[in-house]
Amino acid sequence: MRNFIILLLFILPSSAYMAAQESEVPEPPVLDLVSVDPFTGHTSLYWSPSSSPNVAGYIIYRFINNEGYSIDTVFSPYVNSYINTGSNAAFFSENYVINAFDSVYYSDPSSPNTSPFSNPLNTIYLEASIDSCMHRIELSWNPYLTDSPAVDEYRVYFSRDGSAYQPEGTTADTVFSIESFESYSEYCFYVEALLSNGTSSLSNLFCIDTDIPAPPGWINANYASYNEDGSVQLSFTVDPENEYSTYRIERGMDSLSGFENIQEIQNNSGFIEYTDRSPPEGILYYRLASLNNCGEAIVYSNIASTIRLDLELEGDLVKLHWNNYYSWRGGVFTYRVLRNKSGFFEEIVSLGGTDTLYTDNLRTFMHETGNIDICYRIVAEESFNPYYNDATSISDTKCIEQPVKIYVPNAFTPDDNLVNDIFKPVLSFSPVRYRMIINNRSGVTLFTTNDHLEGWNGMSGGRKLPEDVYIWFIEAETPEGKTISRTGTVTVIFNQ
């Protein structure tokens, strides 16, 4: 019986004998990484070898719809990488698997003893498009599908017109927007999937021409300023490199929200002026938007606000307060307070760029003004701005009705030292009719005048009168026709 078994072994075909020896299939390898060379389009595969001892090589497959399609064979158990020079990863994402085969492959290649497929891995396919409405480049790619190691994030690289590639940013998503780019240039991109084990997978290279008009790099709101008629004058300067020509002026009652469109403008000069002829009450905020060919705002100016002035009269004090101008790029350098005098405005004080309060004393200027109303304006001046020089903004004009008052001193010193030498009442109005009489205590008239700007120098009949108490009488008619009569005493004092 033993001899028969030995004889049977000798007469079995050698292939059947080897198949009997290789009945167990090899363990599959682990596909560790698939990556594209962005500049050649070739795809590289890296794997960990099968743990089986009798592996003779590996078969490379494209994996489509869960089916493997062999593209090449590696006849060595020691090789653990492969470059597919016939890859189409520059045009779409490709999936790959590999398996191991043992020595049976050499005796019967048509029916090799192969392992199951490895885990599948895919290439990253990147594509880009230009959103001309929003003036940005949109990148998108398919995810790199792997459980271990996991993808931590994706890094985007770019080159402009052949320059060295540099990172643009990272994202955990598979889309990325680039809003800052130069028009009429070629931009090329690729994506790197950063894996948790320190390795990475690269995508294809995708290039795109940015042949769209260049938007303004900046728009400066020069000022928002009230005109004499209550309208608001607006001024804007636009980046001269800009190639857009459609703009929209927006107005809001709040500096950060609630803007409404008030005018659309076509302009190619780089300097835009507009008059808001019917502005609503309150502090107003304006900005200019550059519009793309879809009517969408892509660049905004800084915000320009009006200055609203408010007045309060407390006794002889006029209290002014106003809002801070918002928002020059250079900030406010100074606020100048203007008051009308004899029909025109004059500056009465200049304040720092953070001051928004001022108090004016009626007594200090009543004798200088002939106006029924006392009116004020604020003029703001900007500090240095690289886009526009010498910007100013004028507030609205606010007035108070001049109070009907007569201020009369109770003493004066007519000793010719040019200090308090004249007795002269101060009127808060320009009288239509006026009379002032000075008497001594005996009732003798010493001085009389019908000119409210003429005062008494303490003399009568060409001689100086002695120190004493004298009686004055004033009668004045206001522009409204009201007659005011006042009487009192004034003391003449000589300095020793």
Side-chain angles (χ1 to χ4, degrees):
M1 181 66 176
R2 179 180 178 185
N3 292 336
F4 174 76
I5 293 174
I6 293 174
L7 179 63
L8 181 62
L9 287 174
F10 276 104
I11 64 175
L12 282 172
S14 59
S15 61
Y17 174 75
M18 293 178 65
Q21 296 295 316
E22 305 289 351
S23 59
E24 293 185 3
V25 298
E27 290 295 320
V30 176
L31 189 54
D32 297 319
L33 182 68
V34 169
S35 182
V36 179
D37 184 330
F39 308 105
T40 65
H42 301 165
T43 298
S44 296
L45 289 74
Y46 302 89
W47 61 86
S48 297
S50 168
S51 60
S52 299
N54 55 350
V55 170
Y58 299 92
I59 304 174
I60 314 299
Y61 298 87
R62 282 283 313 283
F63 196 54
I64 304 172
N65 296 327
N66 293 319
E67 295 286 340
Y69 297 87
S70 173
I71 60 173
D72 209 346
T73 302
V74 177
F75 292 97
S76 171
Y78 307 109
V79 175
N80 65 345
S81 64
Y82 174 80
I83 298 177
N84 180 16
T85 59
S87 172
N88 288 308
F91 307 103
F92 50 81
S93 176
E94 296 179 329
N95 284 356
Y96 290 90
V97 292
I98 62 173
N99 63 7
F101 62 86
D102 58 18
S103 56
V104 172
Y105 183 93
Y106 295 101
S107 62
D108 188 5
S110 64
S111 182
N113 196 26
T114 58
S115 73
F117 288 141
S118 70
N119 58 300
L121 287 179
N122 62 279
T123 62
I124 302 172
Y125 176 67
L126 166 70
E127 53 188 348
S129 62
I130 293 181
D131 185 339
S132 60
C133 287
M134 300 306 295
H135 196 84
R136 64 190 180 195
I137 300 175
E138 300 282 7
L139 306 180
S140 62
W141 58 91
N142 60 288
Y144 184 71
L145 299 175
T146 175
D147 294 328
S148 179
V151 176
D152 288 337
E153 60 184 356
Y154 296 94
R155 179 176 293 147
V156 177
Y157 293 84
F158 83 98
S159 167
R160 178 193 169 206
D161 293 334
S163 63
Y165 282 83
Q166 55 184 307
E168 172 68 15
T170 59
T171 177
D173 206 346
T174 57
V175 293
F176 192 83
S177 294
I178 298 175
E179 298 184 358
S180 178
F181 62 90
E182 300 293 331
S183 295
Y184 307 110
S185 296
E186 181 187 55
Y187 281 81
C188 293
F189 303 92
Y190 67 86
V191 170
E192 179 183 25
L194 303 176
L195 307 180
S196 58
N197 66 350
T199 62
S200 62
S201 175
L202 304 180
S203 76
N204 60 301
L205 187 71
F206 198 99
C207 297
I208 193 168
D209 292 325
T210 58
D211 294 338
I212 59 175
W218 53 267
I219 304 175
N220 188 66
N222 302 330
Y223 56 80
S225 184
Y226 276 100
N227 296 316
E228 291 276 359
D229 61 2
S231 62
V232 176
Q233 190 67 37
L234 305 175
S235 174
F236 303 90
T237 304
V238 184
D239 176 10
E241 302 299 323
N242 164 55
E243 295 181 331
Y244 283 74
S245 60
T246 305
Y247 302 90
R248 184 173 64 220
I249 295 176
E250 300 178 359
R251 181 183 65 204
M253 303 296 290
D254 182 276
S255 61
L256 301 178
S257 62
F259 282 90
E260 62 175 344
N261 305 332
I262 61 173
Q263 185 68 40
E264 191 167 300
I265 294 174
Q266 296 290 323
N267 185 283
N268 292 302
S269 70
F271 186 73
I272 297 173
E273 288 191 325
Y274 176 75
T275 303
D276 187 3
R277 300 195 178 279
S278 300
E281 291 292 327
I283 303 171
L284 305 176
Y285 299 87
Y286 297 89
R287 66 185 183 185
L288 182 70
S290 175
L291 306 182
N292 60 23
N293 56 3
C294 300
E296 299 290 340
I298 55 173
V299 178
Y300 281 103
S301 71
N302 55 305
I303 295 173
S305 75
T306 57
I307 302 174
R308 178 184 173 88
L309 174 62
D310 289 303
L311 306 178
E312 295 179 14
L313 181 62
E314 294 184 4
D316 295 332
L317 302 179
V318 183
K319 295 188 175 181
L320 294 78
H321 53 95
W322 58 92
N323 61 290
N324 201 11
Y325 182 90
Y326 185 96
S327 56
W328 274 323
R329 298 177 190 269
V332 178
F333 174 70
T334 186
Y335 287 108
R336 296 190 294 118
V337 181
L338 277 61
R339 182 181 66 219
N340 66 338
K341 175 185 175 183
S342 302
F344 61 94
F345 281 86
E346 288 186 346
E347 178 180 325
I348 59 174
V349 69
S350 180
L351 305 173
T354 59
D355 294 326
T356 57
L357 298 171
Y358 180 72
T359 299
D360 199 19
N361 192 330
L362 291 174
R363 290 197 178 202
T364 63
F365 64 90
M366 280 299 183
H367 61 286
E368 299 177 353
T369 178
N371 296 300
I372 297 175
D373 292 338
I374 304 171
C375 299
Y376 296 87
R377 291 177 186 160
I378 306 298
V379 177
E381 296 180 349
E382 185 182 15
S383 296
F384 172 75
N385 185 334
Y387 304 124
Y388 189 82
N389 293 325
D390 302 325
T392 60
S393 176
I394 303 174
S395 75
D396 55 346
T397 300
K398 289 293 177 64
C399 303
I400 59 171
E401 184 177 349
Q402 186 161 274
V404 178
K405 291 186 177 182
I406 300 176
Y407 301 99
V408 183
N410 58 13
F412 74 114
T413 58
D415 46 14
D416 300 326
N417 65 352
L418 302 181
V419 178
N420 197 23
D421 284 339
I422 303 298
F423 170 74
K424 184 174 69 173
V426 176
L427 282 66
S428 65
F429 57 94
S430 294
V432 175
R433 181 176 55 82
Y434 177 82
R435 182 175 60 154
M436 182 174 72
I437 300 173
I438 306 294
N439 294 333
N440 61 19
R441 285 188 285 183
S442 299
V444 177
T445 298
L446 305 173
F447 175 81
T448 182
T449 182
N450 293 319
D451 184 356
H452 74 284
L453 298 178
E454 182 183 9
W456 179 45
N457 61 4
M459 300 179 67
S460 179
R463 64 183 182 86
K464 286 189 177 182
L465 299 177
E467 288 186 347
D468 203 347
V469 175
Y470 297 87
I471 301 168
W472 55 263
F473 171 78
I474 295 174
E475 184 179 74
E477 182 181 345
T478 69
E480 294 81 16
K482 180 180 179 181
T483 299
I484 301 175
S485 298
R486 297 282 190 274
T487 189
T489 63
V490 59
T491 302
V492 171
I493 302 172
F494 292 103
N495 293 314
Q496 301 298 324

